[in-house]
Amino acid sequence: MLRLSDLALPLDHAPEDLDAAVCARLGIAPAELERVTVVRRGNDARRKNAIKLVYTLDVLVKDEAQVLAAHHGDQHLRPTPDTSYKFVTHAPEGFEGPRPVVIGAGPCGLLAALVLAQMGFRPIIVERGKAVRERTKDTFGLWRRSVLDTESNVQFGEGGAGTFSDGKLYSRIKDSRHLGRKVLTEFVKAGAPDDILTEAHPHIGTFRLVTMVMSMRETIEQLGGEYRFGTRVDDFEVEESEGERRITGLHLSNGEFLPASHVIMAVGHSARDTFEALHDRGVYIEAKPFAIGVRIEHPQSWIDTARYGDNAGNKILGAAAYSIAHKASNGRTVYSFCMCPGGRVVAAASEPGRVVTNGMSQYSRAEFNANSGLVVDIDPETDYPGDPLAGVAFQRKFEELAFKAGGENYKAPGQKLGDFLADRPSTEFGVVTPSYQPGVHLTELKQCLPDFVVDAIREALPVFGRQVPGYDHPDVVMTGVETRTSSPVRITRGKDLQSLNTRGLYPAGEGAGYAGGILSAAVDGIRVAEALALELAPAEPKAVAGA
């Protein structure tokens, strides 16, 4: 089998055109082509009125060696790689060693637990929030009634923060072992649509994520895993012997002590009390950069037209997205973050008296507005030096200001773009209606953002308007604040993927500062699960050829 990439065809090509294009590209007769399988399909919309579909294909030909020889040096043609997942070890039959504990049931913890269960290690999953169906009801409580449950919300609960997002399933991480393919394959087994395996920018949407997460939990439990919902880890037992620190157990919110010598820390980026508990116990933590800003909303039709021209609305293309960035004169970078086509802005607070925004979409991406984070980079050395947890205090400060600016009832402070640029408060909406619930209170966003963020965004908006026509329309609505772009800390680990100074503790995923998004967090969960499993059951050394 051969892997052929970067094969471009017109947007409206006929199905049979694909085989013909492969034959023309490889210089073979149709009779020499046996099978074509689509591996990935994306689009090239740089010329909006001549959009092309771009394919990566697995091609079966009669004489593979001859075709490879004829195209020697072609970087777009090579043997198809083996993307199947191979377990690094398995628990011995009748294994009675310690059960690994996974803290957090988001994408990272979910895949870590699944792989551990598949290898026979019967993990215990400790999740502070509720199972995903109950959690969804609690989340709606904030959106519809302004009632916040601090343990069951957009941030906490089965599925993690990614459950209430666009469900993007692509990443820029290096993945030479094709662990991302393992993640997507498991998602499809659990009910995700098959097209996530082939689309260049796959997504799944909130409601499908809910049913998928439930199916994966059932698989883990069938393999001997155990879930403990509504159980927060309040403290960590760490013992020191002969100069080595090692985790020995967890103090849980229900008063129980859970002995544990192998713990995966898969908490999300909002587990601030957990970060504090780890820091108090001397676990090595450092501050890391993140970004802060607002959510910006446009009618999806504007973005479709700006990106696709006359092809806007084409079912193959779907709702258009964008990715933009600008280096401002104050040295800060302004960029779009977590763009959600055909979605809505959602309330994402997890602490009382604070307002946080995020974006989400359903699989259909069929809602009226597009939204994206519009954020500015911040740096620990410049903006919150001296304390590993200072980034948390930085976030809280502006979330509290947003709560006050919104009316102290979980409404988000909002402002029309034209008023933001003119430095005047907004008093009424224009042609763009915001989607955030429980509501948007028009005011001035500069009340709840650092001055350097306000200055950088004001400079960037006209630039983005030239790149995406309509982006800087004066009636566009911005809501604040977006603070949870990534974790404000890194729970630093070594090459063995364990904490730098606490053996048996495996920091993983987004909360630990090693991932950003569903796919990269899930991949990191697999990597950490493998490292832990090899500690419990080292793999037998491979036989040396000729020995």
Side-chain angles (χ1 to χ4, degrees):
M1 191 82 76
L2 300 177
R3 175 68 54 87
L4 176 64
S5 60
D6 202 33
L7 184 69
L9 280 78
L11 175 62
D12 58 354
H13 76 81
E16 59 270 18
D17 292 343
L18 192 58
D19 285 7
V22 170
C23 290
R25 174 69 174 75
L26 299 181
I28 60 176
E32 297 177 71
L33 179 64
E34 296 187 349
R35 188 170 74 246
V36 174
T37 303
V38 176
V39 175
R40 183 139 300 178
R41 186 188 71 177
N43 68 70
D44 180 353
R46 287 175 292 181
R47 296 175 58 197
K48 65 181 68 173
N49 292 319
I51 296 173
K52 295 183 180 296
L53 297 179
V54 182
Y55 290 91
T56 297
L57 307 165
D58 277 344
V59 180
L60 184 64
V61 297
K62 287 186 176 179
D63 194 336
E64 181 178 307
Q66 182 180 11
V67 171
L68 281 174
H71 295 269
H72 178 71
D74 186 341
Q75 62 179 344
H76 297 299
L77 184 68
R78 59 192 173 100
T80 296
D82 180 4
T83 60
S84 61
Y85 180 72
K86 298 171 181 61
F87 293 102
V88 296
T89 189
H90 283 88
E93 188 174 348
F95 178 70
E96 296 182 356
R99 294 179 71 181
V101 177
V102 178
I103 305 176
C108 178
L110 182 62
L111 265 294
L114 178 65
V115 169
L116 286 169
Q118 289 172 335
M119 289 189 285
F121 290 103
R122 300 171 53 247
I124 298 171
I125 301 93
V126 179
E127 168 55 55
R128 68 189 297 167
K130 297 179 183 178
V132 68
R133 289 285 188 203
E134 297 172 77
R135 174 198 181 195
T136 301
K137 295 176 184 177
D138 293 333
T139 301
F140 286 170
L142 175 59
W143 297 352
R144 295 171 179 172
R145 303 188 307 277
S146 299
V147 176
L148 173 66
D149 185 326
T150 58
E151 296 298 323
S152 182
N153 46 60
V154 166
Q155 308 295 348
F156 301 142
E158 184 181 23
T163 303
F164 299 98
S165 71
D166 184 53
K168 296 178 184 66
L169 300 176
Y170 50 92
S171 174
R172 296 185 179 92
I173 60 172
K174 294 180 179 178
D175 187 18
S176 59
R177 292 181 54 211
H178 307 286
L179 297 181
R181 185 73 178 184
K182 164 72 169 173
V183 174
L184 297 182
T185 300
E186 293 294 349
F187 284 179
V188 170
K189 286 181 184 176
D194 291 345
D195 64 12
I196 68 171
L197 297 173
T198 55
E199 288 299 308
H201 294 92
H203 76 286
I204 186 172
T206 290
F207 288 155
R208 293 201 179 200
L209 271 166
V210 168
T211 55
M212 186 194 78
V213 165
M214 292 172 61
S215 176
M216 295 180 74
R217 183 214 313 162
E218 184 177 329
T219 298
I220 291 167
E221 289 176 331
Q222 289 172 347
L223 292 170
E226 174 189 342
Y227 275 79
R228 300 191 184 187
F229 289 113
T231 306
R232 186 181 61 250
V233 176
D234 284 341
D235 203 356
F236 299 82
E237 195 72 23
V238 177
E239 295 184 359
E240 187 167 346
S241 176
E242 298 179 357
E244 181 180 84
R245 290 164 46 91
R246 174 170 284 279
I247 191 162
T248 57
L250 307 172
H251 294 273
L252 306 180
S253 57
N254 60 7
E256 179 185 354
F257 176 73
L258 178 63
S261 58
H262 295 77
V263 177
I264 293 178
M265 280 294 307
V267 297
H269 56 41
S270 297
R272 294 164 169 173
D273 47 6
T274 306
F275 301 153
E276 292 166 357
L278 288 167
H279 185 252
D280 289 346
R281 284 296 177 185
V283 175
Y284 188 85
I285 292 178
E286 57 187 333
K288 73 173 263 303
F290 59 101
I292 183 173
V294 298
R295 277 273 146 185
I296 186 166
E297 288 191 88
H298 305 80
Q300 181 62 48
S301 60
W302 293 8
I303 305 301
D304 292 343
T305 300
R307 283 309 197 204
Y308 296 149
D310 292 342
N311 290 300
N314 185 289
K315 290 184 178 180
I316 294 175
L317 296 174
Y322 60 80
S323 178
I324 46 183
H326 172 69
K327 183 77 170 181
S329 57
N330 66 1
R332 306 284 182 160
T333 299
V334 187
Y335 60 97
S336 57
F337 170 79
C338 187
M339 196 270 161
C340 298
R344 60 176 53 239
V345 180
V346 298
S350 56
E351 296 176 328
R354 299 185 175 106
V355 162
V356 182
T357 63
N358 196 9
M360 64 171 272
S361 300
Q362 299 301 341
Y363 177 68
S364 64
R365 289 178 165 172
E367 296 193 56
F368 191 75
N369 283 354
N371 76 80
S372 173
L374 182 62
V375 297
V376 176
D377 66 309
I378 55 179
D379 182 74
E381 293 184 8
T382 304
D383 301 312
Y384 44 96
D387 183 341
L389 299 178
V392 173
F394 186 94
Q395 289 175 325
R396 283 173 167 160
K397 172 184 175 179
F398 292 100
E399 292 169 10
E400 289 170 4
L401 289 172
F403 183 74
K404 292 177 182 177
E408 300 187 339
N409 53 10
Y410 294 105
K411 288 186 177 181
Q415 191 171 14
K416 292 193 299 185
L417 186 150
D419 294 330
F420 179 79
L421 290 177
D423 196 17
R424 60 175 178 249
S426 292
T427 56
E428 61 181 358
F429 295 112
V431 298
V432 181
T433 302
S435 59
Y436 176 95
Q437 293 297 329
V440 174
H441 174 69
L442 287 174
T443 181
E444 290 187 279
L445 286 172
K446 68 179 184 181
Q447 301 175 79
C448 51
L449 291 170
D451 290 343
F452 67 82
V453 171
V454 173
D455 293 342
I457 292 177
R458 281 178 174 160
E459 179 182 320
L461 286 168
V463 176
F464 294 156
R466 292 191 290 272
Q467 297 173 4
V468 183
Y471 191 91
D472 60 344
H473 188 287
D475 283 353
V476 165
V477 177
M478 301 189 298
T479 52
V481 287
E482 175 97 10
T483 53
R484 312 284 180 93
T485 52
S486 67
S487 179
V489 303
R490 177 172 287 112
I491 308 170
T492 317
R493 65 193 187 195
K495 291 182 179 179
D496 59 2
L497 304 190
Q498 297 184 59
S499 163
L500 278 185
N501 70 342
T502 308
R503 299 288 299 172
L505 185 66
Y506 293 79
E510 191 153 355
Y514 288 97
I518 294 172
L519 187 64
S520 64
V523 167
D524 200 55
I526 294 175
R527 293 182 62 235
V528 169
E530 291 176 338
L532 187 155
L534 286 169
E535 280 280 313
L536 293 176
E540 295 182 7
K542 295 179 181 178
V544 178

PDB file of all heavy atoms in Angstrom, residues 44 49 93 175 182 245-246 255 262 348 499 535:
ATOM      1  N   ASP A  44      -8.404  23.786   0.299  1.00  0.00           N
ATOM      2  CA  ASP A  44      -7.530  24.929   0.078  1.00  0.00           C
ATOM      3  C   ASP A  44      -8.409  26.058  -0.441  1.00  0.00           C
ATOM      4  O   ASP A  44      -8.850  26.041  -1.599  1.00  0.00           O
ATOM      5  CB  ASP A  44      -6.443  24.570  -0.944  1.00  0.00           C
ATOM      6  CG  ASP A  44      -5.501  25.727  -1.228  1.00  0.00           C
ATOM      7  OD1 ASP A  44      -5.757  26.842  -0.739  1.00  0.00           O
ATOM      8  OD2 ASP A  44      -4.501  25.510  -1.952  1.00  0.00           O
ATOM      9  N   ASN A  49     -12.880  31.609  -4.950  1.00  0.00           N
ATOM     10  CA  ASN A  49     -13.751  31.231  -6.062  1.00  0.00           C
ATOM     11  C   ASN A  49     -13.164  30.095  -6.897  1.00  0.00           C
ATOM     12  O   ASN A  49     -13.682  29.771  -7.962  1.00  0.00           O
ATOM     13  CB  ASN A  49     -14.048  32.453  -6.942  1.00  0.00           C
ATOM     14  CG  ASN A  49     -14.909  33.476  -6.206  1.00  0.00           C
ATOM     15  OD1 ASN A  49     -15.845  33.117  -5.503  1.00  0.00           O
ATOM     16  ND2 ASN A  49     -14.564  34.756  -6.342  1.00  0.00           N
ATOM     17  N   GLU A  93      -0.818 -12.185  34.314  1.00  0.00           N
ATOM     18  CA  GLU A  93      -2.041 -12.878  34.730  1.00  0.00           C
ATOM     19  C   GLU A  93      -2.091 -12.958  36.250  1.00  0.00           C
ATOM     20  O   GLU A  93      -1.103 -13.308  36.905  1.00  0.00           O
ATOM     21  CB  GLU A  93      -2.071 -14.273  34.118  1.00  0.00           C
ATOM     22  CG  GLU A  93      -3.384 -14.993  34.348  1.00  0.00           C
ATOM     23  CD  GLU A  93      -3.462 -16.329  33.609  1.00  0.00           C
ATOM     24  OE1 GLU A  93      -2.584 -16.572  32.749  1.00  0.00           O
ATOM     25  OE2 GLU A  93      -4.383 -17.106  33.901  1.00  0.00           O
ATOM     26  N   ASP A 175       3.677  13.471  16.438  1.00  0.00           N
ATOM     27  CA  ASP A 175       3.018  12.213  16.820  1.00  0.00           C
ATOM     28  C   ASP A 175       3.540  11.074  15.946  1.00  0.00           C
ATOM     29  O   ASP A 175       2.817  10.480  15.162  1.00  0.00           O
ATOM     30  CB  ASP A 175       1.499  12.370  16.670  1.00  0.00           C
ATOM     31  CG  ASP A 175       0.712  11.177  17.201  1.00  0.00           C
ATOM     32  OD1 ASP A 175       1.294  10.393  17.982  1.00  0.00           O
ATOM     33  OD2 ASP A 175      -0.458  11.030  16.823  1.00  0.00           O
ATOM     34  N   LYS A 182      -4.986   6.311  17.471  1.00  0.00           N
ATOM     35  CA  LYS A 182      -5.560   5.464  18.525  1.00  0.00           C
ATOM     36  C   LYS A 182      -6.720   6.187  19.206  1.00  0.00           C
ATOM     37  O   LYS A 182      -7.787   5.599  19.430  1.00  0.00           O
ATOM     38  CB  LYS A 182      -4.473   5.116  19.543  1.00  0.00           C
ATOM     39  CG  LYS A 182      -4.957   4.572  20.897  1.00  0.00           C
ATOM     40  CD  LYS A 182      -5.508   3.176  20.811  1.00  0.00           C
ATOM     41  CE  LYS A 182      -5.727   2.599  22.219  1.00  0.00           C
ATOM     42  NZ  LYS A 182      -6.418   1.297  22.178  1.00  0.00           N
ATOM     43  N   ARG A 245      11.439  11.476  47.561  1.00  0.00           N
ATOM     44  CA  ARG A 245      10.040  11.714  47.872  1.00  0.00           C
ATOM     45  C   ARG A 245       9.172  10.798  47.008  1.00  0.00           C
ATOM     46  O   ARG A 245       9.416  10.628  45.817  1.00  0.00           O
ATOM     47  CB  ARG A 245       9.662  13.169  47.573  1.00  0.00           C
ATOM     48  CG  ARG A 245      10.264  14.186  48.502  1.00  0.00           C
ATOM     49  CD  ARG A 245      10.170  15.580  47.913  1.00  0.00           C
ATOM     50  NE  ARG A 245       8.851  15.858  47.369  1.00  0.00           N
ATOM     51  CZ  ARG A 245       7.839  16.421  48.043  1.00  0.00           C
ATOM     52  NH1 ARG A 245       8.012  16.754  49.302  1.00  0.00           N
ATOM     53  NH2 ARG A 245       6.692  16.674  47.463  1.00  0.00           N
ATOM     54  N   ARG A 246       8.129  10.246  47.612  1.00  0.00           N
ATOM     55  CA  ARG A 246       7.231   9.366  46.869  1.00  0.00           C
ATOM     56  C   ARG A 246       5.805   9.564  47.363  1.00  0.00           C
ATOM     57  O   ARG A 246       5.561   9.691  48.558  1.00  0.00           O
ATOM     58  CB  ARG A 246       7.632   7.904  47.030  1.00  0.00           C
ATOM     59  CG  ARG A 246       6.652   6.915  46.389  1.00  0.00           C
ATOM     60  CD  ARG A 246       7.179   5.508  46.360  1.00  0.00           C
ATOM     61  NE  ARG A 246       8.179   5.334  45.317  1.00  0.00           N
ATOM     62  CZ  ARG A 246       7.892   5.125  44.040  1.00  0.00           C
ATOM     63  NH1 ARG A 246       6.626   5.106  43.644  1.00  0.00           N
ATOM     64  NH2 ARG A 246       8.847   4.935  43.162  1.00  0.00           N
ATOM     65  N   GLY A 255     -13.675  12.195  53.108  1.00  0.00           N
ATOM     66  CA  GLY A 255     -13.023  11.784  54.343  1.00  0.00           C
ATOM     67  C   GLY A 255     -12.188  10.526  54.219  1.00  0.00           C
ATOM     68  O   GLY A 255     -11.481  10.152  55.162  1.00  0.00           O
ATOM     69  N   HIS A 262       0.934   5.012  42.496  1.00  0.00           N
ATOM     70  CA  HIS A 262       1.086   5.383  41.089  1.00  0.00           C
ATOM     71  C   HIS A 262      -0.137   6.201  40.688  1.00  0.00           C
ATOM     72  O   HIS A 262      -1.233   5.650  40.523  1.00  0.00           O
ATOM     73  CB  HIS A 262       1.227   4.141  40.210  1.00  0.00           C
ATOM     74  CG  HIS A 262       2.478   3.364  40.476  1.00  0.00           C
ATOM     75  ND1 HIS A 262       2.624   2.542  41.575  1.00  0.00           N
ATOM     76  CD2 HIS A 262       3.656   3.297  39.782  1.00  0.00           C
ATOM     77  CE1 HIS A 262       3.827   2.003  41.558  1.00  0.00           C
ATOM     78  NE2 HIS A 262       4.471   2.445  40.490  1.00  0.00           N
ATOM     79  N   ALA A 348     -18.507  29.786  31.648  1.00  0.00           N
ATOM     80  CA  ALA A 348     -17.574  28.717  32.003  1.00  0.00           C
ATOM     81  C   ALA A 348     -16.955  28.928  33.377  1.00  0.00           C
ATOM     82  O   ALA A 348     -15.876  28.402  33.661  1.00  0.00           O
ATOM     83  CB  ALA A 348     -16.478  28.617  30.937  1.00  0.00           C
ATOM     84  N   SER A 499       6.782  13.340  38.181  1.00  0.00           N
ATOM     85  CA  SER A 499       7.134  14.622  38.773  1.00  0.00           C
ATOM     86  C   SER A 499       8.635  14.704  39.012  1.00  0.00           C
ATOM     87  O   SER A 499       9.271  13.713  39.391  1.00  0.00           O
ATOM     88  CB  SER A 499       6.383  14.793  40.103  1.00  0.00           C
ATOM     89  OG  SER A 499       6.966  15.800  40.900  1.00  0.00           O
ATOM     90  N   GLU A 535       6.312   0.851  34.642  1.00  0.00           N
ATOM     91  CA  GLU A 535       6.826   0.805  36.010  1.00  0.00           C
ATOM     92  C   GLU A 535       6.250  -0.392  36.761  1.00  0.00           C
ATOM     93  O   GLU A 535       6.933  -1.036  37.560  1.00  0.00           O
ATOM     94  CB  GLU A 535       6.473   2.097  36.746  1.00  0.00           C
ATOM     95  CG  GLU A 535       7.369   3.275  36.447  1.00  0.00           C
ATOM     96  CD  GLU A 535       8.671   3.224  37.225  1.00  0.00           C
ATOM     97  OE1 GLU A 535       8.646   2.970  38.441  1.00  0.00           O
ATOM     98  OE2 GLU A 535       9.735   3.443  36.604  1.00  0.00           O
TER      99      GLU A 535
END
